[in-house]
Amino acid sequence: MSQLIELEQAANVRELGGYQTKYGSVIKDRKLIRSAAIDALTSADQEKLADYGVNQVVDFRSLAESQAQPDRPIKGAKEVFLPIFEEDETMVSLSPESLKQRLDDGEDAEEQMKKVYRHFVESPHARKQYRQFFDHVIDNANGSGATLFHCTAGKDRTGFGAFLLLHVLGVDPDTIKEDYLATNRYLGPMLKAKFEPMTKHLEADILNAISVLMRAEESFLAESIATIKKQYGSVDQYIEVGLGLRKEEQDYLIAHLTE
């Protein structure tokens, strides 16, 4: 069901438009786009996204990530910097040294990722940032422009943001899960090309850990949902109480982003 937007130098760029909702409507095309990093866009990619209607880009990456690989601008698009992790937070690192230390300390890669997904729910900073994300989507909902939101792989910070949006818009849980897991299909070739050269130089346990960290796993998103239910009772309560997204605001999004 996911609609890939094929670009020359960006991966996992996907439409959220077309998904059915429980209200008998579908999410509008060219309104919500999830993506991996867009720091290597070609001129043709930039033009394609501008023509597609992207007029707002939300960057969930850290300051260090965004400075190391700044977004290539899209003509006419407002850029919003909205880091999900605070600057002193080091949640997951792909550096072999950091991974080896964590493995030596007895923390396997899967548990590292589950910690990240609990953090999305438990962290006051993360909740504040996702609330602001909704504010920007609301501001851009009425009109012809599209919001593109991304992190580095378009998998975790972006995946959780997509989960929240799709839930608010009334998409069923199975479809939301399919959208989340589709990252493995769309990101796989790029990751293989990036990490295959490392196979000759790194130990097997490190390579396995990298593989786990770069996958979208049902158990990761399930960790967020379990934490939400434990602390708030339901996803609806988390969105209304944890994020402070009022029912009127949710209705506004449904009215302007579905048809």
Side-chain angles (χ1 to χ4, degrees):
M1 184 68 194
S2 300
Q3 300 173 14
L4 183 69
I5 301 173
E6 294 193 28
L7 300 174
E8 294 173 351
Q9 291 296 329
N12 205 19
V13 184
R14 296 191 265 134
E15 261 279 4
L16 294 187
Y19 286 129
Q20 296 280 339
T21 79
K22 64 184 179 182
Y23 307 111
S25 58
V26 297
I27 298 177
K28 293 179 181 178
D29 288 336
R30 300 182 179 235
K31 293 301 296 177
L32 298 170
I33 300 164
R34 56 175 295 174
S35 174
I38 56 170
D39 61 288
L41 296 176
T42 65
S43 297
D45 292 337
Q46 291 169 293
E47 184 176 351
K48 183 172 183 176
L49 289 173
D51 291 343
Y52 203 82
V54 174
N55 69 344
Q56 177 169 250
V57 174
V58 178
D59 185 354
F60 288 146
R61 298 176 301 164
S62 68
L63 181 62
E65 288 173 292
S66 65
Q67 288 180 337
Q69 297 177 307
D71 287 350
R72 295 294 304 277
I74 298 167
K75 186 177 180 180
K78 177 179 75 171
E79 298 185 20
V80 179
F81 179 57
L82 208 59
I84 297 302
F85 301 137
E86 294 188 85
E87 285 309 309
D88 60 350
E89 292 176 335
T90 54
M91 295 303 296
V92 171
S93 171
L94 283 178
S95 74
E97 297 80 11
S98 175
L99 282 175
K100 180 168 176 49
Q101 183 60 56
R102 290 174 186 242
L103 292 172
D104 288 346
D105 290 343
E107 186 177 15
D108 66 20
E110 184 171 351
E111 179 51 38
Q112 290 182 46
M113 290 307 307
K114 288 183 177 180
K115 181 179 178 181
V116 168
Y117 279 75
R118 291 193 296 271
H119 182 85
F120 292 150
V121 180
E122 296 170 341
S123 163
H125 174 80
R127 292 197 302 273
K128 177 174 71 74
Q129 298 298 79
Y130 281 118
R131 164 71 232 208
Q132 289 189 44
F133 170 53
F134 271 106
D135 288 338
H136 289 292
V137 173
I138 288 169
D139 288 344
N140 207 38
N142 185 17
S144 59
T147 297
L148 182 152
F149 57 102
H150 78 93
C151 51
T152 297
K155 178 176 76 78
D156 305 313
R157 291 163 286 188
T158 297
F160 188 70
F163 157 72
L164 295 175
L165 273 176
L166 293 174
H167 181 88
V168 166
L169 295 176
V171 177
D172 72 270
D174 286 343
T175 301
I176 293 175
K177 181 177 69 176
E178 288 172 12
D179 178 81
Y180 171 74
L181 294 174
T183 281
N184 295 327
R185 183 163 70 252
Y186 294 125
L187 204 60
M190 183 273 282
L191 292 176
K192 183 178 180 181
K194 181 176 181 179
F195 290 108
E196 198 161 24
M198 297 183 183
T199 58
K200 299 176 183 177
H201 310 290
L202 296 178
E203 298 173 9
D205 59 340
I206 299 296
L207 288 171
N208 181 64
I210 289 174
S211 175
V212 171
L213 296 181
M214 295 312 296
R215 289 200 304 267
E217 293 284 358
E218 185 176 344
S219 62
F220 299 162
L221 186 58
E223 193 75 12
S224 287
I225 295 171
T227 306
I228 284 171
K229 290 181 177 178
K230 180 180 179 181
Q231 295 194 1
Y232 295 92
S234 69
V235 178
D236 288 336
Q237 278 292 101
Y238 165 76
I239 288 169
E240 290 187 36
V241 178
L243 300 186
L245 192 69
R246 301 188 313 274
K247 188 68 168 61
E248 312 90 83
E249 293 173 308
Q250 297 180 48
D251 290 342
Y252 182 88
L253 288 171
I254 293 166
H256 289 86
L257 296 177
T258 67
E259 58 187 5

